[in-house]
Amino acid sequence: MRNKYVMANFKMNKSDSEVEEYLKTFLPLVEGNETKIILSIPFTSLKTAIEKTKKSNVMIAAQNMNENEKGAYTGEVSADMLSGLGVDAVIVGHSERRSNFNETDELVNKKILRGLKSGLICIFCVGETMYERKNQMTEQVLVRQITEGLKSVYANELKNIIIAYEPVWAIGTGVTPMDVEIVETVKVIRNILTSMYDEKIAKDVIITYGGSINEVNCKEIGKFEGLDGALIGGASLMPEKFAKIVSAFKPKACRKKKD
Ligand code: PEP
């Protein structure tokens, strides 16, 4: 049975002391929770967050990294620097990086390969724009993003990949897809993985959804069949709200009833 993952993306929000304050409130709220929790926070607070979450059930992720091992890349941060610090995971291919920083599928793939090599869990974001959905291009886009993004990734490395299906039009907009759209798209993603690897391997890959999840709609989304969790931006910035979202993705919520 696949684990449930609920992941925060703070984006460019919160100073180091604000992250510390956040954790003071958040950690007691999720203590003992079986759901895997990952907080993706700014580089400047990674060290603080790692120290403060050491004895907790919360993992820490970076929001980006450079694809090269090391060298003359002023201002960049490498995968080894992150894993050396104790970071557990990294977000790769977020739509804000694809659109604002021109990150291509090829670059995303390089980052994934580098992240895996350094022992990081890669939170691999994929998703279509509204134009692409309206023009029935969703599957085509996902096939491209996933086959390119996971190029040269071995089956045994998929345990360190979390796919975050994030339709671009749902991120930060307050609009979420219909339940059937999420469930069907997760199936499409699993089929793509099946054709790249095989059914048994694809069955074990963690596939989550992200885009305008909040403390209200999480109750429904948390029960969607086949969905292994969520990536949350805006609503993760408030510890009480995010803790509520975490509790909506209990492992047992998706267990299929036996006849
Ligand atoms: C995100 O940025 O990954 C995200 C899901 O944002 P929001 O929850 O704010 O839509």
Side-chain angles (χ1 to χ4, degrees):
M1 172 142 182
R2 296 185 301 268
N3 276 314
K4 283 279 163 71
Y5 285 78
V6 181
M7 305 169 289
N9 178 10
F10 283 9
K11 313 195 186 195
M12 200 171 71
N13 292 295
K14 294 200 188 292
S15 66
D16 194 37
S17 58
E18 286 168 340
V19 168
E20 200 174 335
E21 272 307 301
Y22 181 102
L23 291 171
K24 262 189 211 156
T25 311
F26 181 67
L27 294 180
L29 295 175
V30 294
E31 204 184 326
N33 202 306
E34 280 178 50
T35 306
K36 304 262 183 197
I37 302 165
I38 305 183
L39 300 181
S40 316
I41 60 170
F43 288 130
T44 45
S45 300
L46 288 173
K47 198 162 191 287
T48 301
I50 289 162
E51 276 168 19
K52 300 289 172 197
T53 54
K54 222 169 238 163
K55 291 187 188 129
S56 78
N57 51 340
V58 172
M59 292 183 273
I60 299 299
Q63 297 171 20
N64 184 32
M65 50 163 261
N66 186 275
E67 70 281 13
N68 294 293
E69 188 185 352
K70 58 178 166 182
Y73 302 101
T74 303
E76 292 292 277
V77 172
S78 76
D80 277 352
M81 288 173 188
L82 295 176
S83 58
L85 197 66
V87 169
D88 303 286
V90 61
I91 297 181
V92 181
H94 192 280
S95 67
E96 286 158 13
R97 293 212 61 88
R98 289 180 191 261
S99 62
N100 299 336
F101 301 94
N102 303 317
E103 293 202 359
T104 60
D105 293 317
E106 195 187 348
L107 181 62
V108 170
N109 176 243
K110 284 183 183 166
K111 290 190 180 196
I112 287 178
L113 295 176
R114 181 68 61 194
L116 291 174
K117 210 170 172 187
S118 298
L120 297 170
I121 296 170
C122 293
I123 303 163
F124 172 31
C125 301
V126 294
E128 80 289 357
T129 61
M130 182 50 99
Y131 172 85
E132 289 160 345
R133 177 157 283 267
K134 279 193 172 153
N135 287 280
Q136 285 80 45
M137 291 162 69
T138 301
E139 183 162 351
Q140 179 191 327
V141 169
L142 292 172
V143 168
R144 193 202 71 230
Q145 290 177 335
I146 294 170
T147 51
E148 293 292 312
L150 295 182
K151 202 179 257 175
S152 306
V153 172
Y154 295 111
N156 66 358
E157 295 175 305
L158 291 175
K159 61 180 181 305
N160 282 333
I161 297 282
I162 296 173
I163 296 187
Y165 167 56
E166 298 210 303
V168 180
W169 49 276
I171 296 179
T173 58
V175 181
T176 51
M178 290 185 299
D179 52 355
V180 61
E181 288 176 315
I182 296 178
V183 171
E184 285 308 311
T185 311
V186 168
K187 280 187 196 158
V188 166
I189 292 173
R190 218 171 280 290
N191 286 340
I192 296 168
L193 293 167
T194 300
S195 56
M196 288 177 73
Y197 298 92
D198 67 36
E199 200 181 337
K200 193 167 170 286
I201 291 163
K203 198 171 77 29
D204 289 337
V205 179
I206 303 292
I207 305 176
T208 63
Y209 164 79
S212 295
I213 295 183
N214 57 41
E215 71 285 10
V216 178
N217 64 19
C218 66
K219 289 176 197 142
E220 202 196 331
I221 296 173
K223 292 182 194 146
F224 287 175
E225 201 179 329
L227 190 64
D228 305 321
L231 177 57
I232 295 101
S236 72
L237 292 172
M238 283 140 289
E240 296 84 359
K241 279 192 185 178
F242 188 52
K244 271 192 192 151
I245 298 174
V246 170
S247 63
F249 286 85
K250 286 196 184 81
K252 66 175 189 302
C254 256
R255 237 169 241 164
K256 265 187 160 179
K257 278 190 212 128
K258 284 190 183 142
D259 297 326

